[in-house]
Amino acid sequence: MFSYLGKDEKRRKNQEVYENVTEGLKNIYKQKLLPLEKEYNFHDFHSPALDDPDFDAKPLVMLVGQYSTGKTTFIRYLLEQDFPGIRIGPEPTTDRFIAVMHAESDGVIPGNALVVDPKKQFRPLSKFGNAFLNRFQCSGTDSTVLKGISIVDTPGILSGEKQRTDRGYDFIGVLEWFAERVDRILLLFDAHKLDISDEFRRSIESLRGHDDKIRIVLNKADMVDHQQLMRVYGALMWSLGKVLGTPEVARVYIGSFW
């Protein structure tokens, strides 16, 4: 009658012991999930197989927003220091995807070298071609913050006539790739630039399905007074309501990160 108790005891004896959670996830994936993915050709139509760097990597945070909304300044505010390749200005300055990661000494790794590095999780990005890899780099710096997380800075999303200029690679496709793999997406808005351009609209739409990762930040809030801030907040909610297409009101975090 109680034979199942003996089975549980037997199962407990046969359990594997792992040193940490990461090692356990790696082994379970390779033993259980990977054979199933190969059987049904999962890697041909969805995403490549996971490698060890995908498990070992630190949590990733991606910043998305129009140009001059303070994305790069936000990273400098967090790190309390500059990082290699930093460029800040009122015009569109960040023209590339920059993965800011921890390193013992300051340095920059170009995209072509990054996608062949077996210790980094960016190898699948090679499918976006050389035009993208020339606009992708890893900036390494010794920061206490980066020992716990890595940050991805993205090019400023264009507006007006500039958004018709071809970037030379699939910008929306790259955003979708990162959106699948990052742990948090910060959408930054400037209190003085609330218009959502066509390219920004397409970018936000490409993030659908990852709503649990998205946090909306209204930056540079100290540049307007309380009454204007309420108007800006209402205008932002109205603009977002047309793009997000959800009945719930999105939560907006207000701050000023200089």
Side-chain angles (χ1 to χ4, degrees):
M1 182 176 175
F2 296 103
S3 57
Y4 64 89
L5 292 176
K7 291 179 181 176
D8 286 346
E9 188 67 32
K10 193 178 192 180
R11 195 179 295 120
R12 276 197 293 270
K13 286 180 181 177
N14 293 332
Q15 280 182 347
E16 294 185 50
V17 178
Y18 303 110
E19 292 183 4
N20 53 54
V21 175
T22 306
E23 290 299 322
L25 287 173
K26 278 187 201 174
N27 285 327
I28 291 170
Y29 174 74
K30 289 174 182 176
Q31 294 171 12
K32 309 290 184 184
L33 288 177
L34 188 57
L36 193 64
E37 290 179 353
K38 288 179 177 176
E39 178 70 25
Y40 291 97
N41 298 320
F42 180 77
H43 309 136
D44 295 336
F45 65 85
H46 191 272
S47 58
L50 297 177
D51 295 321
D52 286 352
D54 293 307
F55 293 96
D56 296 329
K58 298 179 180 71
L60 265 178
V61 178
M62 179 170 69
L63 277 67
V64 180
Q66 297 187 105
Y67 69 92
S68 298
T69 54
K71 298 186 297 299
T72 308
T73 310
F74 181 89
I75 297 174
R76 186 174 67 177
Y77 177 89
L78 283 180
L79 303 184
E80 298 181 340
Q81 66 183 58
D82 288 348
F83 58 87
I86 185 172
R87 290 176 62 204
I88 295 174
E91 75 282 2
T93 47
T94 305
D95 60 348
R96 60 189 62 228
F97 284 81
I98 302 177
V100 186
M101 309 180 83
H102 182 264
E104 296 300 326
S105 58
D106 289 4
V108 173
I109 305 174
N112 291 291
L114 205 55
V115 295
V116 294
D117 187 349
K119 296 180 180 178
K120 295 285 192 296
Q121 70 269 42
F122 303 116
R123 298 178 80 176
L125 283 170
S126 57
K127 68 180 180 181
F128 292 104
N130 207 47
F132 165 70
L133 296 180
N134 290 332
R135 297 288 182 185
F136 179 47
Q137 72 179 47
C138 174
S139 295
T141 187
D142 188 9
S143 168
T144 308
V145 176
L146 295 176
K147 289 181 180 178
I149 62 170
S150 298
I151 306 171
V152 178
D153 191 12
T154 60
I157 294 171
L158 305 176
S159 60
E161 193 68 29
K162 295 187 289 293
Q163 66 184 323
R164 298 177 189 172
T165 306
D166 185 20
R167 292 180 185 267
Y169 60 90
D170 184 6
F171 177 74
I172 302 300
V174 175
L175 271 185
E176 288 177 349
W177 187 92
F178 274 108
E180 285 182 4
R181 288 159 179 80
V182 300
D183 301 275
R184 184 71 73 220
I185 302 168
L186 298 183
L187 276 181
L188 265 73
F189 288 87
D190 186 338
H192 293 92
K193 282 193 302 190
L194 296 179
D195 60 309
I196 297 179
S197 65
D198 292 342
E199 188 178 36
F200 198 15
R201 178 188 293 270
R202 290 195 299 271
S203 301
I204 295 174
E205 287 172 350
S206 72
L207 304 177
R208 282 184 180 167
H210 309 285
D211 301 339
D212 57 316
K213 301 179 182 179
I214 297 176
R215 297 293 182 270
I216 299 166
V217 179
L218 179 60
N219 199 14
K220 304 183 184 179
D222 63 338
M223 298 179 70
V224 295
D225 58 38
H226 292 293
Q227 190 172 6
Q228 289 175 324
L229 185 59
M230 293 305 295
R231 290 176 183 164
V232 167
Y233 181 81
L236 177 60
M237 300 298 284
W238 182 78
S239 299
L240 284 172
K242 294 193 297 181
V243 179
L244 296 177
T246 56
E248 295 83 10
V249 176
R251 177 179 290 182
V252 176
Y253 297 87
I254 299 174
S256 187
F257 305 97
W258 292 85

